[in-house]
Amino acid sequence: MYNGEAGSAFIAGLPALTADFLDRWDLKTDGRPMHGVSALVLPVVRPDDTPAVLKLQLLDEESVGEPVALRAWDGDGSVRLLDHDEATGTMLLERLDSSRMLAHHPDVHESVLVIARLLAHLTSFPAPAGLRRLGDIAQAMLEQTPWALERIPDPEARRVVADCAAAVREVVDEPGDRLLHWDLHDENVLASGRAPWLAIDPKPLAGDPGFELWPAIANRFDADDIRWRFDAMTDALGLDRARARAWTYGRLLQNSLWDIEDGRPLEEDQLEIARRLRGRS
């Protein structure tokens, strides 16, 4: 169960929470509900007949910053926040076209470029105060690395993860201050009547835009396409490739630490991303 007892309690309380916000914001349901790992999304209609979605989610260190980021972007490249309850994390959002998801686009290269262009715009915003900071996250990862390396049985995989940690150590003192989405993969980009593509579901933090590249590199994985995607995205965002590569390695380090904590083997596809980017300039 996601988030253990807290996740169970959240699910048990969903019917009452849903009824409360439908009544509080005078909403009517208008379609089939959708859900992810930790949120329920209900299509609704506002009193003036405007379509919207009601998002009910379990508050954690990632989701608590979502309304902060959405307010900063104010619909400019992202879904628009219409209302928010701070106590529960419940949000009322504009309704986008969930049937037109970037993940369904047949041209993977165009999909990567869409994400790159969105990221170039979203990360142009300074991070508001109070968000998680990449520097703190990276420092905590480096402190945990020796413990993790002892638990990787394969010498080559252990060396890849150690190399990633070494790269992060080179940039950790300059973690950046841009507003990052963190999770802009091709299922978190939807079409809209007011813009071709908009970002949804940020897990925001303050940091270096190089930390944003991983999801689009890993989407619809193709080992032979890794370098093209990295080069295309760093060009679109105007990033220094050495720094961007270091922060991309940081995503592999982060994912590896989570896998090891949960007792899962490291994913070969993720290790291959690090191998293919090695020596890229």
Side-chain angles (χ1 to χ4, degrees):
M1 175 64 67
Y2 179 82
N3 267 10
E5 293 183 4
S8 298
F10 171 71
I11 292 172
L14 266 178
L17 188 67
T18 302
D20 177 28
F21 279 97
L22 290 175
D23 179 66
R24 188 187 309 191
W25 288 336
D26 196 12
L27 306 170
K28 295 180 180 178
T29 56
D30 183 43
R32 298 181 63 180
M34 299 165 282
H35 68 87
V37 174
S38 59
L40 176 68
V41 178
L42 294 174
V44 294
V45 175
R46 304 180 83 184
D48 62 359
D49 292 328
T50 302
V53 294
L54 180 67
K55 183 175 182 178
L56 306 114
Q57 62 184 344
L58 181 65
L59 275 179
D60 58 23
E61 66 175 5
E62 293 183 352
S63 62
V64 71
E66 183 172 355
V68 178
L70 293 180
R71 284 197 190 97
W73 290 321
D74 193 25
D76 189 2
S78 74
V79 65
R80 182 170 283 121
L81 179 67
L82 305 177
D83 211 336
H84 170 236
D85 178 69
E86 186 173 353
T88 64
T90 303
M91 293 182 291
L92 188 66
L93 304 166
E94 74 170 308
R95 193 189 305 181
L96 306 183
D97 189 347
S98 60
S99 70
R100 290 193 291 154
M101 183 184 292
L102 187 60
H104 302 152
H105 198 292
D107 187 336
V108 175
H109 281 189
E110 178 58 26
S111 173
V112 170
L113 292 174
V114 167
I115 291 174
R117 289 190 288 265
L118 280 173
L119 287 175
H121 181 69
L122 296 176
T123 61
S124 71
F125 288 70
L131 290 179
R132 300 178 300 151
R133 305 197 68 82
L134 177 56
D136 297 333
I137 293 169
Q139 191 60 54
M141 291 193 300
L142 292 174
E143 291 170 2
Q144 196 179 5
T145 296
W147 169 88
L149 291 176
E150 292 177 354
R151 287 157 176 80
I152 303 175
D154 178 70
E156 196 273 338
R158 186 165 60 247
R159 186 165 52 252
V160 170
V161 174
D163 288 347
C164 289
V168 172
R169 199 169 287 112
E170 292 294 320
V171 295
V172 69
D173 291 334
E174 297 182 58
D177 62 357
R178 299 290 88 190
L179 176 53
L180 307 187
H181 182 289
W182 184 80
D183 196 29
L184 199 58
H185 55 75
D186 57 9
E187 293 184 357
N188 275 344
V189 181
L190 299 179
S192 165
R194 67 177 178 85
W197 300 106
L198 294 171
I200 66 168
D201 201 24
K203 303 292 185 289
L205 62 152
D208 190 300
F211 204 58
E212 294 275 47
L213 308 184
W214 182 272
I217 294 173
N219 284 166
R220 292 186 263 183
F221 180 79
D222 181 347
D224 293 333
D225 208 34
I226 289 168
R227 288 194 170 188
W228 183 91
R229 297 184 192 189
F230 178 80
D231 289 351
M233 295 187 76
T234 51
D235 283 348
L237 276 80
L239 300 180
D240 175 83
R241 283 186 178 158
R243 286 185 59 80
R245 184 172 61 249
W247 284 120
T248 301
Y249 285 159
R251 293 297 287 265
L252 172 65
L253 180 62
Q254 186 175 56
N255 291 342
S256 299
L257 290 171
W258 287 337
D259 286 341
I260 294 165
E261 287 173 352
D262 292 341
R264 299 188 300 264
L266 302 186
E267 295 186 23
E268 180 58 29
D269 288 356
Q270 298 197 25
L271 295 171
E272 187 62 17
I273 291 173
R275 295 187 192 106
R276 296 284 179 130
L277 293 181
R278 188 178 294 154
R280 198 66 175 154
S281 61

